[in-house]
Amino acid sequence: MENFSLTVNGEHIEAEINPATTLQNFLYKYVGLTGVKEGCGEGLCGCCTVRVDGEAVKSCIILALQVNGKRVQTIEGLAEGETLDPVQEAFLDHGAFQCGYCTPGMIMASRSFLDENPAPSEKEIRHALSGNLCRCTGYHKIVKAVLSVDPKKEIVAK
Amino acid sequence: MDQFKYFPAKDVEEACALLTQYGEEAKVLSGGQSLVSMMKQRLISPPFIIDIKGISDLDYIRYTDDDGLRIGGLTTHRSVEKSDIIINKFPMLAQMEYTLASVAVRNWGTVAGNLCSADPASDLAPALIALSAEVTLTGAATKRTVSLDDFFVDSFETIIKPDEILTEIHVPNAVMGGGIHTKFALRETDLAVVSVATYLTLKESSHDECDDIRIVMGSVNPFPFRVNRAEEAIRGQKITDALIEKAAQTVSEDIEPTADLNGTEEFKRDITRVLVQRAIKEAVARARTI
């Protein structure tokens, strides 16, 4: 067992864990953040996407101990109180879910991408989300949702 | 994932000391985008993990006109992709990174990890070999620089010794040449079914003649494969479409692809022929614009 500490959605957490624990497993089981889904478990499907120090990563193929001292944000930490993030609003507006399993990863990947590129083209969105799979194949509405996020609205929201 | 003992190393010295102590039983973890996945599938179960990702000294990109490009081993793929100096001076490297796996993998995965895991489908390795890169391997009491041409010995196997870490990649300054890395994959950021990297220079006296060329194939051999026959056919010659097409044909004959879910051997040879033709033509066009 090893001790480590990190910040998850703004909250400082200290924990003692088995080194063979992935970040996804730690967030889901130990912290109870069930939005951090494990899909393929091999870094291919993107369901487990979270942000570490602001950058999207695949939490299922990162050891939890590797984020010692870092800042982690999950889908649970995206809304500010009752106010949803504009990406979450856009997904709702466009009905960009079917079963919903890929949604947290899709939204975290999109959020991270839009922070870098606030007014992307459809092609850029499809490239940015190529590491996130939707088994229901509902890509069209997802891309439309991301495309609809208004850069001006975001500045107000922040 | 099986149990292991975990040691985060704070610097290269400590990492090499730990590797000396635990020898072949230890595995070096950097971004772990291959390693952790393989451990979860129990393809490997190392009893000791030496985590070097926290060694910030090895995360850098430096460039001078005299020396060329130096990339620290623990630089992420994303940093290479977004580096202004790489975009300007070595555009084929930045373009290659743009389709190397998904953004989230590029954000965490490192260049040294990519090379040392020695996946036959690496995009990074052929691109760097085409650019005549060399790598520095640092051990507990040793430091050596080897050409990346000589680094790979088989699929998932390199010349790196158990106490060594790949600390730096050096790309000599690109002279007046043009290069490209391109791949055939089911989706643009997937592992390559076939990839090719080529870099060529033209003679100063005539922009129709090739001075030097490197052509490196990925995914179709156990490790990155320089196709000597095709290089020799073009080197020093007047470049024509017919010559390029003939050279590309020899590449499709010289590779050793294996049939898998992505296609038959014949299919991969055919894709190779077309991909190599396009790559060389594009490299020539780029060289002419410089």
Side-chain angles (χ1 to χ4, degrees), chain B residues 31-283:
Chain B
Q33 302 296 281
S34 306
L35 183 63
V36 175
S37 181
M38 287 168 97
M39 285 165 66
K40 286 182 80 175
Q41 295 172 67
R42 292 197 167 86
L43 293 169
I44 49 171
S45 293
F48 304 101
I49 289 289
I50 318 294
D51 181 2
I52 62 168
K53 178 132 169 107
I55 305 177
S56 53
D57 293 358
L58 294 182
D59 178 4
Y60 59 84
I61 294 170
R62 294 180 193 135
Y63 173 85
T64 63
D65 284 341
D66 289 341
D67 183 52
L69 179 68
R70 289 186 184 268
I71 307 175
L74 296 181
T75 307
T76 64
H77 293 291
R78 204 73 206 291
S79 301
V80 174
E81 176 193 341
K82 300 183 90 173
S83 153
D84 286 337
I85 193 73
I86 292 177
I87 292 168
N88 286 327
K89 297 280 182 183
F90 304 88
M92 67 179 277
L93 274 186
Q95 287 158 8
M96 173 275 302
E97 289 287 7
Y98 187 65
T99 59
L100 185 150
S102 61
V103 179
V105 167
R106 298 203 295 278
N107 277 338
W108 197 256
T110 67
V111 288
N114 182 295
L115 295 179
C116 293
S117 62
D119 192 314
S122 167
D123 288 327
L124 179 64
L128 285 173
I129 292 172
L131 288 166
S132 309
E134 53 189 20
V135 289
T136 301
L137 309 175
T138 306
T142 57
K143 193 170 187 172
R144 54 181 177 141
T145 299
V146 297
S147 164
L148 200 55
D149 284 25
D150 306 321
F151 182 69
F152 301 99
V153 290
D154 206 340
S155 57
F156 303 101
E157 214 174 307
T158 72
I159 59 163
I160 202 158
K161 291 180 181 151
D163 74 324
E164 285 177 327
I165 291 173
L166 195 163
T167 45
E168 187 177 79
I169 297 166
H170 175 223
V171 185
N173 197 3
V175 276
M176 307 298 273
I180 183 174
H181 168 274
T182 185
K183 66 179 174 182
F184 176 81
L186 298 189
R187 296 177 313 144
E188 64 171 352
T189 56
D190 274 348
L191 284 180
V193 176
V194 178
S195 73
V196 54
T198 182
Y199 187 82
L200 73 83
T201 50
L202 302 170
K203 285 187 179 164
E204 271 183 47
S205 53
S206 161
H207 275 192
D208 292 328
E209 287 176 47
C210 170
D211 184 40
D212 197 8
I213 184 166
R214 281 178 165 238
I215 306 168
V216 191
M217 304 303 299
S219 285
V220 286
N221 277 57
F223 55 97
F225 176 55
R226 264 188 82 181
V227 276
N228 291 322
R229 192 153 68 116
E231 289 182 4
E232 277 162 25
I234 297 172
R235 193 175 292 126
Q237 301 299 310
K238 185 172 172 1
I239 301 165
T240 60
D241 283 357
L243 180 72
I244 292 170
E245 281 155 29
K246 207 172 134 208
Q249 176 62 35
T250 69
V251 176
S252 71
E253 292 162 9
D254 293 349
I255 56 170
E256 299 163 13
T258 48
D260 58 23
L261 281 175
N262 293 317
T264 60
E265 187 189 318
E266 190 191 0
F267 171 77
K268 291 185 182 181
R269 288 188 194 280
D270 218 31
I271 291 288
T272 294
R273 184 178 54 76
V274 176
L275 208 61
V276 170
Q277 268 184 36
R278 288 182 190 164
I280 298 173
K281 285 176 186 174
E282 177 61 23

Side-chain angles (χ1 to χ4, degrees), chain A residues 2 18-22 38 41-43 52 55-58 60-63 65-67 70 116 127-128 130-131 133, chain B residues 1-4 6 29-33 36-37 40-41 51 53 78 82 98 102-108 187-189:
Chain A
E2 299 278 339
N18 181 333
T21 307
T22 62
E38 181 164 61
E42 294 172 19
V52 172
E55 293 188 328
V57 297
K58 301 201 168 181
C60 78
I61 49 166
I62 292 178
L63 296 184
L65 290 174
Q66 287 204 292
V67 300
K70 294 186 187 293
E116 284 178 23
H127 175 85
S130 68
L133 305 184
Chain B
M1 201 165 12
D2 287 322
Q3 303 302 311
F4 56 83
Y6 173 85
L29 171 69
S30 52
Q33 302 296 281
V36 175
S37 181
K40 286 182 80 175
Q41 295 172 67
D51 181 2
K53 178 132 169 107
R78 204 73 206 291
K82 300 183 90 173
Y98 187 65
S102 61
V103 179
V105 167
R106 298 203 295 278
N107 277 338
W108 197 256
R187 296 177 313 144
E188 64 171 352
T189 56

